[in-house]
Amino acid sequence: MSTEIRLDHHRELRIGIPEAILCEGKTDEHLCEILEEADRLGAALLLTRLPRERLAALPDRLRAKLDHEPVSRTAFFGQPRAIETRAKVAIVSAGTSDARVFREVARTLRFHGRACREFHDVGLAGLWRVMERVEEIGSHPIVIVVAGMDAALPTVVGGLVKSALIAVPTSNGYGVAAGGESALRATLASCSAGITVVNIDNGFGAACAAIRILSAIDSATKSEVS
Amino acid sequence: MSTEIRLDHHRELRIGIPEAILCEGKTDEHLCEILEEADRLGAALLLTRLPRERLAALPDRLRAKLDHEPVSRTAFFGQPRAIETRAKVAIVSAGTSDARVFREVARTLRFHGRACREFHDVGLAGLWRVMERVEEIGSHPIVIVVAGMDAALPTVVGGLVKSALIAVPTSNGYGVAAGGESALRATLASCSAGITVVNIDNGFGAACAAIRILSAIDSATKSEVS
Amino acid sequence: MSTEIRLDHHRELRIGIPEAILCEGKTDEHLCEILEEADRLGAALLLTRLPRERLAALPDRLRAKLDHEPVSRTAFFGQPRAIETRAKVAIVSAGTSDARVFREVARTLRFHGRACREFHDVGLAGLWRVMERVEEIGSHPIVIVVAGMDAALPTVVGGLVKSALIAVPTSNGYGVAAGGESALRATLASCSAGITVVNIDNGFGAACAAIRILSAIDSATKSEVS
Amino acid sequence: MSTEIRLDHHRELRIGIPEAILCEGKTDEHLCEILEEADRLGAALLLTRLPRERLAALPDRLRAKLDHEPVSRTAFFGQPRAIETRAKVAIVSAGTSDARVFREVARTLRFHGRACREFHDVGLAGLWRVMERVEEIGSHPIVIVVAGMDAALPTVVGGLVKSALIAVPTSNGYGVAAGGESALRATLASCSAGITVVNIDNGFGAACAAIRILSAIDSATKSEVS
Amino acid sequence: MSTEIRLDHHRELRIGIPEAILCEGKTDEHLCEILEEADRLGAALLLTRLPRERLAALPDRLRAKLDHEPVSRTAFFGQPRAIETRAKVAIVSAGTSDARVFREVARTLRFHGRACREFHDVGLAGLWRVMERVEEIGSHPIVIVVAGMDAALPTVVGGLVKSALIAVPTSNGYGVAAGGESALRATLASCSAGITVVNIDNGFGAACAAIRILSAIDSATKSEVS
Amino acid sequence: MSTEIRLDHHRELRIGIPEAILCEGKTDEHLCEILEEADRLGAALLLTRLPRERLAALPDRLRAKLDHEPVSRTAFFGQPRAIETRAKVAIVSAGTSDARVFREVARTLRFHGRACREFHDVGLAGLWRVMERVEEIGSHPIVIVVAGMDAALPTVVGGLVKSALIAVPTSNGYGVAAGGESALRATLASCSAGITVVNIDNGFGAACAAIRILSAIDSATKSEVS
Amino acid sequence: MSTEIRLDHHRELRIGIPEAILCEGKTDEHLCEILEEADRLGAALLLTRLPRERLAALPDRLRAKLDHEPVSRTAFFGQPRAIETRAKVAIVSAGTSDARVFREVARTLRFHGRACREFHDVGLAGLWRVMERVEEIGSHPIVIVVAGMDAALPTVVGGLVKSALIAVPTSNGYGVAAGGESALRATLASCSAGITVVNIDNGFGAACAAIRILSAIDSATKSEVS
Amino acid sequence: MSTEIRLDHHRELRIGIPEAILCEGKTDEHLCEILEEADRLGAALLLTRLPRERLAALPDRLRAKLDHEPVSRTAFFGQPRAIETRAKVAIVSAGTSDARVFREVARTLRFHGRACREFHDVGLAGLWRVMERVEEIGSHPIVIVVAGMDAALPTVVGGLVKSALIAVPTSNGYGVAAGGESALRATLASCSAGITVVNIDNGFGAACAAIRILSAIDSATKSEVS
């Protein structure tokens, strides 16, 4: 079976982000093989979509090396990068129902050593909640807005801040909101200019997009200074 | 062919709103027959979805009795009701691209003698535009919000006013916005409580819903006073 | 974690409806925090989409303060408002399969002190059932029609009564009916003028829409009388 | 090119309905070849979806043999069957906007020698219109209901008559009604038992389904009598 | 709660088919009330979508009066009608995966005293299977074809028999076949003329449609003979 | 502008099929540039989706080098390959309404020097038409079936022949058939094993798939013989 | 019940592939009957979509004759064909999450005696992985590419090899990827010419399509040599 | 009518991007009013989705001040910003069919004074085309990939460069590709980490997203240097 797995060791070199493991859809056997391989190489690994229930299928030795967070269903295998001092990313969410997703954003950033600041439960049904924090939000070069249902929050934030803006539609809700298609469409059709979007519930992807932008900023400041 | 048409003369008595004629899908012959019949009875008639180009197919005598407005594609056949003095309905729209629809709302209200006040181009990309007028908007018992694309405006207004709130999603836009499905879903999934929705581009329907509420208010005040 | 929660205490002042808690999607931890906070403030709270099975996860002290109704999956935390004497809302449903939803309407109205009268199992397959009660139904200023599958009931009721009319499509049924998309589309495309619609299964939203209209009526009668 | 065409001459023998020509999608050349072939064989032919504008492309000699009706866009090539004396099919429609379709039903029945009786403009927004004619409608063994938008009419009729019931959803309307998907779903999800459905706008198919049932009735009465 | 239930006792008189109970979506309490009511009246009742697991929730006394069939998930409460001697309905299915549905057809016909003959596992991948039985199938005035996946069977049968033809698309299959939307669309778009369709998996509805046609045949033969 | 175009001259070497030009979506300017470039190189070029009306926009010199076929909307620029002697591909279609597509298949094969044999108007509504030719059809190593609406033909053919089978769903038809989604789904869900599918109306793609298989056969026979 | 089952014993003769049993949707009783029948006839049988959990429902005697593989959920009943010596099929997959499907391809080929070579975990996020093996992949006359999510892999492979190319979209992933509709559409819309597609997750179908092509190759080489 | 228009003059101050005018959906009258207003204020304005045909409806005086580009359907009213010296954005596209969109990207960047470098016709069917330019592409901090049909290009580019990556799916193509839904889904489901997406055909939005990131880079370098 091991012939079915080939890790992409040079990915970080190429794109600035090491390979991560999406556990959903993988068999327990494949998951173990991947961890063994990483362990052998001494590589740190981010695992996503790994619900607590699946941990039991791992051998104790491997499980012991996992730092698992149940709401986001992420795990760090091995040591994440040292964290930078200043938060350049703001994570904004409309309500606690999206915790699953905004914690995935935060955990992914953390694994890659990127600091962030969180602004939660600022849904538009109480506009004052986002208004009183919008200046602080806008002081970050990158803003990630996690929003389900009608996903109106990215539009309002996008009309108020200069920052690069990444929207993560979520699958939370019922009726037309269930599954996140409504939130996805609303963010794509936003009347605020320059909002970008990732897949429904894709907190990992939004964090990676932020990391790409942060790399661009880092390069620019380095070349500028030198 | 005339056996194919039967006007519903008692509708106003039953539901407070007389029958209106949706011209889309009807042949020119049917349209003429309907107008002849209304003319014979001396009945006033609201015609919707009647583009300017179709007027040419009507005989001069009937066309002369039409008050046609091209953007909304509505026409009054005969005399509309006298207009009430105080506007109890606010019409709010995000941008001029929705003129087709918000004028249909206004024209339908006008035909039935209901006054309204219009608040346009208050899209969320410039939040200040709606904020500086929200108090005035909220002073009306009924607020109709016309909104396309991400249709985030009803959510923001709904979180700021007590009024009965009717959202009209519009078909304006391209990509995922085209056809209005995204706007429809966003209004239905709104996180502001108590927003109701009508069909895409259905300015006529929103006005009729307002008329039903106004009837309820009128009855209540009459019975209360007497 | 508590930094993830910010209740919107002034919502009732702004829009006439206090914040309610949609429990679906929230973790047990978040739910407890919210109840603790409400308890601390002595605030009453409506909880929706809280199935009986989740109650076990709450500490006894909090669970004791909940008045839970299993079919609607709603709970009152603390004391609901005193109930008004005269029912101004009629709830109409086609069959008992929609009990989940029409009880959510009734419970939401009850929490906010609004009385209602219920008319059930009046589906169109036996038209006489709605015909013999339609006069009584139409005597209420607001009629909420809960209907799944082909959702033809709102159209028939809408053609017979003057009242403000809110349709709640439900997800009940199989094949093309499953999920409620068919019922939703049918209510939006209704050929009866002035019907408004809320999200699939959104009994809570329909009740809130009714509350907005009732506020408008209350204000009108007050200002008229004084 | 003529090798591309093979008429199915024995179809009437097999299934009781001769081959008809759906003109949409065919080139003018193919259409001519088909008519030439039918002419050569002395066969009568029903043509559907043939808009008036396309007639110009036919040679005079063939066009002269066509009995074309513009609203239904049907044509009889050659002589239709003699018409039976008693109408066993009722065609019911909600409004004149569906004339395109209900005339296709009537023309198809006429071509095959089947008589029908038409009941139009009996939409549910004015329920009395269908109620005062329902007994007469129900006296036909087969009822075809043509209905667009919310397509609630088949449900109401289906709850009131014993007849075999075929619903034809139509594409008429805008917003969610456009294209007929909503009407189709509503008829399929009807809560009246035993309603069958054909494709959107398929007046031809509904008439053919009626012809199949009429054949079954004819056979039964013949075998019973003999 | 009992005020939530109103049986439609006269339905059989009106449409020839007594009210049946769709158990899906109903609470156990509602189900019991309905059976109690039927028991009190001595009425026989057909129950559909009642999986074996739900029987345990019924009191022994009521459960004892049920004749339950697990694959179709139907139950007869009380005595079904006496069965007619000659089968006028043929049920045809492509494979055993659709047993759930074709047994619902058979059971519904049985409850109403209608006999049928079954032709199974005649899928088109082995065309000879349907060809060798098609004459026998076509000797029935009504043919019900149950078909999932690509649902090509109704088209082939419809091109070979004169009978009234009702197609029941099924939800069986995976990928694009899952849920039955593909089968539904294929039956509606069939190139064989005069095929009618019911909702996905709606064996009950197909049987009721057959019963409507059988009533029409019965009436015709009676009036013809007398 | 010419910097916007880069032909892929080595494609034939790599995959056995030279680059073809999909004209839809390209500006007239781009089209001219591409032809000029091919002319300069003396390369032959297949152009698809080039309606007759667009030819006028080309300079006479280039237009003179085009062999254009209007129904398939294809053109050969320069000399197509010499045609092989024995037809190894059968093209089968249900009706002449799909001429647009099956001629695109034939023209694409012709351009690449591949011979084919055509079997048209063999739709299943008259099953005998396909049955009497199926042996001849099955004598070709590759069968391409072009089918719209319910697309049942590939299933029947697939159950009768051993050949490699490629289905091309077409967009022909109305209601649920319009656009080809129903035909596409039916072919993908086919209950005959081993049918493959290309995009709706993609006659070009089906021909290219056949060319790939023919290359495999050619290689095999060559290596086998040598 | 046994009258509900009719195996298609001549299928292999007709199309080169014996009947296989799709277990999903079949009752345990039907499954047993089928195995008993095959056992009686001494026929080997491929069973698909048979999860490990269902094995318990089979009698020991039958279960003992099954060679079951849990990831692909396939079983061989009786002896598969002897395996050919040279692999003519390459199976390529983007990642281990698609193991369910690519093993179904391999097992189906194995049952029919066809050898294959597997190339896994060559997803495009690390393009080098596919590039370094593409020559080897292209040396097989047939390439089956299993790909979920954005399913970009078939396009890249299709642009680099001459082989017949069959894409199997998979349902793996979340958000817009869930269910495989996105992967399906991407493969159908591929800009590489001549890629064919089977139903989502249909590893069995892809293998059967390969077998059809292999038969064509075998016939050609035989006739060529002789 | 002028009361229907309210320009958002401070938008550039707030979000770094001045208001642009989406001409689609606006009446000619509204368009003129907007230009008059801008003219009065001496403000420069970017107009999008303004096809050449609509220019005739503008008064000569206003038209004279427009710099219109027909393929992108954009116009500059007044003077665009001075262009920066070094291109920090790469625009990559698969083929010339997407010219409409990639020129909208380029024109929007130009209007805001941002330089870009274009890489066209690098579709994956000829992988070498993108491979030989990928290093140069990756030297830009921001890469915008315009891609229709299967939209596989962003995945390949995303796996090879570190840059911030924005994908613009386009509506080009037919069958499942028509309208761009397939391209949209493929980009959202991309297996390359950190790709962000904008609405179908939204070249304007992609450029604005790039401008937001460029602002972040500019701020960072300024604060770093100072």
Side-chain angles (χ1 to χ4, degrees), chain F residues 1-14:
Chain F
M1 178 129 342
S2 66
T3 63
E4 289 179 356
I5 288 172
R6 314 187 77 205
L7 290 184
D8 181 15
H9 304 302
H10 310 292
R11 190 173 299 176
E12 185 162 15
L13 234 74
R14 283 200 322 277

Side-chain angles (χ1 to χ4, degrees), chain D residues 43-63:
Chain D
L45 218 50
L46 172 66
L47 298 105
T48 63
R49 305 245 156 187
L50 181 66
R52 201 178 348 212
E53 301 74 46
R54 288 195 63 182
L55 296 181
L58 299 176
D60 289 355
R61 191 177 52 82
L62 291 172
R63 196 169 52 239

